[in-house]
Amino acid sequence: AEQRPLENDLRARLESFELAYRMQTAAPEAFDVMQEPEHIRKSYGLERKESKEYAKQCLTARRLIERGVRFVQVFASCPNTPGGGVRDVPWDGHNDIDANHRACAASVDQATGALLDDLKQRGMLDDTLVIWGGEFGRTNYCQGTLGKDNFGRDHHGRCFSMWMAGGGIRKGHVHGETDDFCYNIVRDPVHINDLNATVLQCLGLDHERFTYRYQGLDQRLTSVQGARVVNELLA
């Protein structure tokens, strides 16, 4: 019989719905962190008000990785910033950066360390790449109210720090350096495309071959303008 128009599209849609159903039926068990022993929950900081939400995300991340999930993203919010409530833009310290960032750090520090320790103890860190960071840093000069106890700092896209651990990353290595004003890079710059190339390398993908044809160019996640794997970061 002649195939009906759009039959393949319908079949693909049905398969996606079936996959979504299987994921939904498996999710409740995977997301139930209360199944973890008390000492594990405590090590992540689930009992602390300032770290509870982020700790739950980190512990859930480990449970998902255990069950074969290939990519997990965790978002850090700051529940105890001045004024209360969860900040829509965490870590965005245009004002009162001292109180802001102290609260943010208190909410993520324990659970982040616990996640790394937990992965390592279970033999999972060697083949799990952990990346922690944001999309920009902060300037070293002040912004905002400029009072003795209340000042902020602006966005800084030139220089900012990220860290990686696990899956193929060299331990204890610090890469790059800024000038005395923390404004420009003076040693070992790493472009975002270089970072992406390095991440793909750790995942077993050659970024120069990982391409797709679009508008006459072999497009890449690392751009067509050239990027390099930062081998100094690799074990």
Side-chain angles (χ1 to χ4, degrees), residues 178-209:
T178 62
D179 59 25
D180 291 341
F181 300 100
C182 303
Y183 192 74
N184 284 312
I185 304 168
V186 296
R187 181 175 62 84
D188 296 332
V190 176
H191 191 276
I192 185 63
N193 291 333
D194 300 332
L195 176 64
N196 288 340
T198 306
V199 170
L200 290 171
Q201 177 78 11
C202 291
L203 298 178
L205 298 171
D206 182 344
H207 75 101
E208 293 185 345
R209 299 179 61 189

Side-chain angles (χ1 to χ4, degrees), residues 20-159:
Y21 173 77
R22 293 196 301 272
M23 293 173 65
Q24 290 175 21
T25 56
E29 187 276 335
F31 283 82
D32 185 5
V33 298
M34 296 308 294
Q35 294 185 15
E36 295 287 332
E38 182 180 1
H39 74 277
I40 293 293
R41 302 198 306 269
K42 187 174 181 179
S43 71
Y44 277 81
L46 273 168
E47 85 290 355
R48 296 172 60 235
K49 179 181 178 181
E50 61 268 37
S51 59
K52 180 178 180 180
E53 293 303 319
Y54 180 75
K56 183 178 180 180
Q57 291 188 66
C58 287
L59 185 48
T60 300
R62 194 222 75 208
R63 291 175 61 83
L64 292 174
I65 295 168
E66 276 185 313
R67 287 158 176 76
V69 176
R70 302 295 296 275
F71 180 86
V72 180
Q73 188 169 8
V74 174
F75 290 93
S77 59
C78 301
N80 290 332
T81 48
V86 176
R87 289 288 304 275
D88 291 332
V89 186
W91 302 94
D92 202 18
H94 293 283
N95 290 285
D96 206 4
I97 194 171
D98 183 66
N100 181 324
H101 280 199
R102 285 181 185 276
C104 287
S107 70
V108 303
D109 185 58
Q110 180 177 346
T112 300
L115 175 60
L116 295 177
D117 288 341
D118 205 1
L119 290 172
K120 185 175 181 179
Q121 291 171 4
R122 294 168 187 269
M124 299 166 58
L125 188 58
D126 287 343
D127 56 8
T128 302
L129 176 62
V130 181
I131 307 171
W132 202 101
E135 73 274 35
F136 53 76
R138 308 215 73 87
T139 57
N140 65 333
Y141 48 82
C142 292
Q143 180 192 43
T145 306
L146 305 184
K148 179 180 178 181
D149 299 318
N150 186 353
F151 56 88
R153 293 178 178 175
D154 201 359
H155 298 178
H156 191 8
R158 293 176 182 238
C159 309

